[in-house]
């Protein structure tokens, strides 16, 4: 039997400008050590930075409290802005379930800058088949310290599907189109020149956690493996772990070639990053359509001699978490990340 679960996201923009300036660049080792120290979703919702690690501990929707501001109501929709450090946004829905989160886990009292996520929900709680609320992220931050250069991983996460045994899956279908633009409006296309001028340092990536233990696979801190699929790398602060150690494998999927980089983060997790070749050299891939499940199954057969002291995952492991979003490092100007289309269909 084939069971499909899908999400489609269309982006809409809301932005609040805040002043700031950018400091010095930070290195790759500090970047990954910092991202490894915090899970994507851990702890409760917070406005004051007391637990900025993510929002699996609580969820909210339009009008549920927190640092939210309802900005408009048009034709049965409610557009709500979330500027919380961490807030699990799970809008009431009679169809698919999902959770969005600003996830500003690297923000504290010394941070200069701001980030807000906008989510547009249907008041009747009824969405077209496999369709989630529209969302976008607008942000600007100064460079953080080398010990914590990442300010946020704002993302949308698949709900009520995982964990799944890897060998029970047949397909992990992705239909993706995103853009990054300078300013407070969604860009129709991404301009490399504009983002370079803004000194933007960020990435766009899918982030997954795997482990032989089903419970650990659901926890971004305890899982043995972090598997990423990168579609963009902007700025020198956002290089994937293992980039300096050369690619360990290559896989072509529907016209896009991915290189695999492997290493350990500061938390001791094995990080395996498939990076679109356009992004390896600091570029981007705005659109992708196809099955990315081979990027998981290829890991089983990696040559151990290429991995040194690292062990690859096995087909008996579990996929416990899957999210898509952007890591906010720093930018001289406000930028907007928007997703005109995102469909993830996990089939077993």
């Amino acid at each position: 039997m084939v069971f499909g679960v899908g999400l489609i996201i269309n982006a809409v923009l809301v932005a609040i400008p805040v002043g700031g300036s950018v400091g010095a660049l930070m290195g790759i080792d500090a970047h990954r050590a910092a991202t490894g120290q915090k899970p994507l979703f851990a702890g409760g919702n917070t406005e004051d930075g007391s637990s900025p690690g993510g929002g699996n501990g609580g969820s909210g929707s339009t009008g549920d409290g927190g640092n939210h501001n309802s900005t408009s109501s048009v034709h049965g929709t409610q557009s709500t802005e979330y500027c919380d450090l961490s807030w699990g946004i799970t809008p009431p829905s009679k169809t698919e379930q999902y959770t969005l989160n600003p996830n500003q886990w690297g923000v504290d009292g010394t941070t200069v800058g701001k980030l807000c996520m906008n989510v547009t929900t249907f008041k009747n709680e009824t969405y077209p088949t496999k369709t989630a609320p529209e969302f976008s992220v607008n942000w600007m931050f100064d460079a953080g310290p080398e010990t914590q250069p990442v300010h946020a991983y704002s993302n949308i996460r698949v709900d009520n599907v995982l964990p799944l045994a890897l060998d029970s899956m047949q397909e992990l279908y992705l239909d993706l189109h995103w853009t990054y633009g300078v300013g407070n409006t969604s860009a129709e296309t991404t301009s490399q020149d504009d983002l370079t001028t803004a000194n933007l340092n960020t990435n766009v990536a899918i982030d997954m956690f795997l482990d032989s233990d089903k419970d650990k696979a659901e926890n971004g801190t305890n899982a043995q493996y972090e598997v990423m699929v990168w579609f963009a790398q902007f700025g020198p602060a956002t290089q994937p772990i293992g980039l300096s150690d050369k690619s360990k494998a290559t896989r072509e999927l529907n016209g896009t070639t991915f290189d695999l980089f492997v290493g350990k983060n500061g938390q001791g997790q094995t990080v395996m990053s498939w990076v679109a070749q356009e992004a390896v050299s600091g570029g981007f891939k705005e659109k992708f359509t196809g099955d990315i499940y081979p990027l998981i199954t290829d890991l089983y057969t990696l040559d151990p001699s290429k991995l040194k002291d690292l062990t690859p995952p096995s087909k008996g492991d579990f996929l416990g978490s899957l999210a898509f979003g952007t890591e906010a490092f720093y930018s001289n100007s406000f930028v907007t990340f928007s997703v005109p289309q995102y469909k993830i269909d996990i089939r077993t």
Side-chain angles (χ1 to χ4, degrees):
M1 179 180 72
V2 175
F3 174 73
V5 179
L7 299 175
I8 300 177
I9 295 96
N10 298 309
V12 68
L13 170 74
V14 166
I16 297 181
V18 178
S21 61
V22 176
L25 301 178
M26 65 287 290
I28 174 177
D29 292 338
H31 156 216
R32 296 314 308 179
T35 55
Q37 289 169 0
K38 295 286 186 178
L40 301 184
F41 294 90
N45 299 325
T46 175
E47 298 176 62
D48 60 6
S50 58
S51 178
N56 200 25
S59 62
S61 59
T62 301
D64 61 358
N67 184 23
H68 318 328
N69 177 35
S70 295
T71 58
S72 63
S73 181
V74 180
H75 301 304
T77 65
Q78 181 69 53
S79 182
T80 305
E81 185 178 71
Y82 297 82
C83 300
D84 309 80
L85 293 184
S86 178
W87 193 267
I89 308 159
T90 307
S93 173
K94 297 176 182 177
T95 52
E96 284 73 31
Q97 289 293 319
Y98 44 84
T99 295
L100 304 97
N101 198 326
N103 197 31
Q104 301 183 66
W105 64 264
V107 171
D108 59 26
T110 66
T111 301
V112 177
K114 189 170 185 178
L115 179 149
C116 292
M117 171 180 276
N118 182 271
V119 181
T120 299
T121 55
F122 290 170
K123 292 182 177 180
N124 65 6
E125 302 178 8
T126 302
Y127 298 86
T129 303
K130 298 184 179 180
T131 302
E134 302 173 355
F135 82 100
S136 63
V137 182
N138 180 253
W139 65 273
M140 181 175 71
F141 289 111
D142 277 9
E146 290 189 0
T147 55
Q148 188 169 294
V150 180
H151 292 97
Y153 176 61
S154 302
N155 62 81
I156 183 166
R157 186 185 62 171
V158 177
D159 275 352
N160 300 334
V161 180
L162 304 174
L164 283 175
L166 297 179
D167 60 1
S168 72
M169 297 169 57
Q170 294 184 7
E171 187 177 56
L172 186 50
Y173 180 81
L174 176 67
D175 188 2
L176 173 66
H177 178 205
W178 59 269
T179 67
Y180 241 113
V182 176
N184 300 329
T185 57
S186 297
E188 291 187 8
T189 60
T190 302
S191 168
Q192 182 84 57
D193 290 343
D194 288 350
L195 299 181
T196 299
T197 299
N199 198 22
L200 174 65
N201 279 256
T202 190
N203 63 11
V204 176
I206 287 175
D207 208 1
M208 298 176 281
F209 288 97
L210 283 61
D211 199 279
S212 59
D213 183 286
K214 182 186 297 187
D215 293 331
K216 289 183 178 179
E218 295 184 88
N219 188 302
T221 302
N222 296 331
Q224 183 177 359
Y225 300 100
E226 180 180 16
V227 178
M228 304 185 74
V229 183
W230 289 50
F231 297 97
Q233 174 191 316
F234 298 114
T238 56
Q239 298 171 345
I241 282 181
L243 182 65
S244 61
D245 199 25
K246 298 183 180 180
S247 173
K248 305 303 181 185
T250 301
R251 162 66 82 154
E252 190 274 334
L253 296 175
N254 279 20
T256 299
T257 301
F258 295 89
D259 287 322
L260 177 66
F261 301 95
V262 179
K264 283 198 172 185
N265 61 19
Q267 196 168 307
Q269 293 170 306
T270 298
V271 182
M272 315 185 89
S273 300
W274 289 100
V275 184
Q277 285 191 346
E278 292 87 345
V280 171
S281 57
F284 59 91
K285 181 75 174 180
E286 267 189 0
K287 297 180 180 180
F288 177 84
T289 302
D291 180 16
I292 62 172
Y293 184 49
L295 298 182
I296 294 178
T297 58
D298 280 3
L299 301 179
Y300 311 156
T301 57
L302 286 174
D303 183 353
S305 66
K306 293 183 178 181
L307 301 180
K308 299 179 180 179
D309 60 338
L310 301 179
T311 303
S314 67
K315 63 182 180 180
D317 290 345
F318 292 89
L319 172 61
S321 176
L322 186 154
F324 169 73
T326 182
E327 283 185 302
F329 286 74
Y330 58 87
S331 174
N332 283 357
S333 305
F334 263 88
V335 290
T336 298
F337 172 66
S338 55
V339 187
Q341 181 160 309
Y342 173 65
K343 176 181 179 179
I344 191 78
D345 194 353
I346 302 174
R347 295 181 177 270
T348 60

